[in-house]
Amino acid sequence: MAIKLSTKYVEDFLSKFQLSSLQKKVSACHDMLHNKTGEGSDFTGWVDLPVNYDKEEFGRIKAAAERIRKQADILIVIGIGGSYLGARAVIDMFKDPFRKTTKTEVVFLGQNMSSEYMESLLHYIIDKDVAVNVISKSGTTTEPAIAFRIIKEFMERKYGKEYAKTRIYVTTDKEKGALKSLATTEGYETFVIPDDVGGRYSVLTAVGLLPIAVAEIDIDELMLGASEARTKYMENSLDNECYKYAVYRNALYKVGKKTEILVNYEPCMGYFTEWWKQLYGESEGKDHKGIFPAGVTFTTDLHSMGQYIQDGRRELFETVIKIKNSRSEIVVREDMLDLDGLNYLAGKSMNEINEKALLGTVMAHYDGNTPSMIIEIDEISPRNIGELIYFFEKACGISGYLLGVNPFNQPGVEDYKKNMFALLGKPGYEERRKELESKSK
Ligand code: PA5
């Protein structure tokens, strides 16, 4: 078993009655998800995706990744939100933070509107061979659309229109949206985001798989881990740890623990936390309710956020990701003089020390009234990460239903867009513009 959940440092905060009432509800949520009778059921294609995916397209993804690795020093992945975070999360977990270890470097664009970021990237790629993967399910999202307009021009200037085409890969809806029309008109190779898979649940579609494969991460193993998780987390009971996690976080929410902090002890998992934050924040934060998802990397953030978690407002709980076996084993050596006083650590690996920091912190936070669940993973491998992705996706669907919201829509995201379009003078938003202008006077 690659993933294990421990609730030892949470139990005292919850009553048996509370857990048993949620336990009854979870069974109904399981049925809603699997029988497609719950809200947002049109977007539950991710549940069976690890086995029920387009095998022909999967082959094309691998072939395209191989071609990109031959064509390009840099792959620019353009996308935002669910069309960005999953790929970045997985790639970062397998990327060496200092050395270039893959043929093609994957960089990200279109996840902000910063001119400085864009200019810096344009300088970085000027003398490099470049390929582009632009990703947008709706095909109309402003940030990636602006980025792609600029990069398309760069590519056509650098390679000529005809040759640039062979270096541009599009991932979008099978028929709708401006990006789809553009891809058809220009003749770009295109990959499809299934209708029934929403952005934040799409990392195991071409959205995540193409960039991940370009980064030389084994996508067969990733899918294998996810399909094993699909079987493992199918059981309709609290022995199912995925459901147990969903139940416990809802129970904690009910006793006033309104913020969940995902804690990792490996810096390579920072973007995994960002992916998780989007998954839970966009799925549950609606109808004026939902746990607020936050994240920290320890021990780094013990020296910044640790004080608050130990001693600030008591509305927090933590979900700690513990990696049992590190991919590296550096041991602290004995020093004759021991001027730094660290000889008591001689012979211990950094991993052992990290593990003790984890346990010591969990216990200190528990004593300070911040409970923790611990999710232990054997090691960071594509197969285990496939399992972890599926674990969190399924727990999120169940948790959203337990909370009583539709976990598969994101109506609140539209509001800032309407204002931004109005302020930028987009046709069709004239009335809104007048309203905003009169309010801001
Ligand atoms: O989860 C979601 O649906 C969103 O975060 C989207 O992924 C994000 O808004 C980007 O949308 P699109 O892929 O349509 O450009």
Side-chain angles (χ1 to χ4, degrees):
M1 279 223 294
I3 295 179
K4 273 194 292 195
L5 172 73
S6 161
T7 52
K8 179 175 172 189
Y9 294 99
V10 169
E11 300 288 351
D12 289 353
F13 290 79
L14 304 169
S15 74
K16 288 216 165 55
F17 168 75
Q18 208 183 11
L19 287 174
S20 71
S21 76
L22 277 164
Q23 196 164 348
K24 280 182 208 129
K25 249 178 129 183
V26 89
S27 181
C29 296
H30 168 96
D31 291 340
M32 277 156 77
L33 190 63
H34 282 275
N35 302 335
K36 296 188 183 290
T37 51
E39 267 195 287
S41 60
D42 288 352
F43 291 95
T44 52
W46 55 270
V47 173
D48 292 323
L49 187 72
V51 287
N52 188 13
Y53 60 91
D54 181 341
K55 312 287 182 307
E56 182 274 329
E57 177 165 270
F58 193 79
R60 257 189 334 111
I61 289 172
K62 287 201 215 168
E66 208 177 310
R67 201 158 59 246
I68 291 168
R69 286 197 297 267
K70 287 194 184 122
Q71 284 177 322
D73 307 313
I74 304 274
L75 172 69
I76 305 176
V77 176
I78 300 178
I80 195 165
S83 292
Y84 155 63
L85 285 163
R88 184 150 199 181
V90 176
I91 291 171
D92 268 21
M93 269 188 273
F94 297 95
K95 186 177 164 186
D96 189 293
F98 301 108
R99 289 170 303 157
K100 182 176 184 302
T101 53
T102 54
K103 162 74 182 64
T104 303
E105 183 188 0
V106 179
V107 298
F108 294 90
L109 190 67
Q111 80 279 26
N112 58 54
M113 300 243 216
S114 163
S115 174
E116 288 182 19
Y117 184 93
M118 171 67 83
E119 186 165 353
S120 178
L121 181 74
L122 288 169
H123 279 296
Y124 185 57
I125 61 177
I126 200 145
D127 56 356
K128 300 192 169 65
D129 265 323
V130 180
V132 180
N133 179 201
V134 52
I135 308 171
S136 175
K137 183 167 183 186
S138 61
T140 54
T141 306
T142 314
E143 291 89 338
I146 293 173
F148 185 53
R149 181 179 275 213
I150 294 166
I151 290 298
K152 180 173 183 284
E153 195 198 317
F154 167 90
M155 296 294 283
E156 289 174 357
R157 224 178 321 115
K158 185 174 170 98
Y159 295 106
K161 199 169 167 62
E162 276 314 299
Y163 196 46
K165 273 183 192 176
T166 63
R167 293 172 169 265
I168 295 176
Y169 303 81
V170 171
T171 307
T172 190
D173 186 84
K174 66 176 183 314
E175 51 196 19
K176 293 190 297 287
L179 183 58
K180 174 65 190 168
S181 326
L182 199 154
T184 310
T185 310
E186 298 286 14
Y188 301 142
E189 174 154 18
T190 304
F191 299 93
V192 171
I193 310 172
D195 284 343
D196 56 0
V197 180
R200 58 191 175 275
Y201 293 84
S202 70
V203 54
L204 299 174
T205 70
V207 169
L209 295 176
L210 180 57
I212 290 169
V214 172
E216 298 173 31
I217 299 161
D218 191 333
I219 59 172
D220 286 303
E221 283 285 296
L222 195 71
M223 292 305 272
L224 174 64
S227 75
E228 286 168 344
R230 177 182 161 276
T231 311
K232 179 172 160 188
Y233 302 125
M234 190 82 88
E235 191 186 327
N236 187 356
S237 89
L238 277 208
D239 293 337
N240 178 341
E241 294 192 332
C242 173
Y243 291 7
K244 191 170 177 183
Y245 169 63
V247 163
Y248 273 67
R249 62 195 297 284
N250 274 278
L252 287 162
Y253 180 63
K254 287 202 163 149
V255 295
K257 301 291 182 192
K258 308 280 186 208
T259 300
E260 176 177 11
I261 306 175
L262 191 74
V263 181
N264 72 76
Y265 280 76
E266 290 294 339
C268 70
M269 294 196 79
Y271 266 94
F272 187 80
T273 301
E274 295 304 312
W275 170 82
W276 173 90
K277 274 161 63 181
Q278 188 213 357
L279 181 63
Y280 282 81
E282 244 178 36
S283 298
E284 295 193 316
K286 47 197 71 156
D287 306 337
H288 297 182
K289 51 188 177 180
I291 295 169
F292 182 80
V296 290
T297 295
F298 285 167
T299 60
T300 313
D301 294 331
L302 281 173
H303 298 261
S304 57
M305 297 303 289
Q307 170 61 37
Y308 193 109
I309 298 170
Q310 184 71 47
D311 209 19
R313 270 164 45 190
R314 302 296 71 202
E315 56 172 44
L316 313 173
F317 71 96
E318 293 175 298
T319 296
V320 179
I321 299 187
K322 176 178 174 187
I323 310 296
K324 195 168 159 211
N325 302 308
S326 168
R327 291 173 289 185
S328 143
E329 193 72 6
I330 296 206
V331 174
V332 177
R333 287 183 206 275
E334 174 118 1
D335 183 282
M336 290 281 277
L337 298 176
D338 195 26
L339 292 175
D340 53 12
L342 287 181
N343 271 357
Y344 76 100
L345 294 176
K348 288 197 167 47
S349 70
M350 284 189 74
N351 201 40
E352 268 177 277
I353 300 168
N354 209 13
E355 208 179 301
K356 292 290 178 280
L358 184 154
L359 184 61
T361 305
V362 163
M363 292 172 94
H365 289 179
Y366 172 84
D367 289 340
N369 225 339
T370 296
S372 297
M373 287 188 268
I374 302 174
I375 295 174
E376 184 181 279
I377 309 164
D378 286 345
E379 65 185 354
I380 298 178
S381 69
R383 189 164 164 182
N384 292 348
I385 296 308
E387 178 173 343
L388 190 63
I389 286 171
Y390 192 88
F391 173 94
F392 277 129
E393 286 182 350
K394 190 154 195 207
C396 188
I398 294 290
S399 182
Y401 281 155
L402 280 172
L403 183 69
V405 299
N406 174 354
F408 308 116
N409 66 0
Q410 54 284 328
V413 178
E414 296 311 310
D415 292 352
Y416 96 90
K417 290 188 192 168
K418 283 183 205 138
N419 284 358
M420 179 181 74
F421 292 151
L423 293 169
L424 286 168
K426 186 172 178 173
Y429 291 82
E430 295 76 7
E431 280 309 307
R432 185 78 186 141
R433 184 178 189 157
K434 275 189 217 148
E435 253 176 69
L436 290 176
E437 280 175 351
S438 71
K439 272 192 199 164
S440 66
K441 268 183 198 144

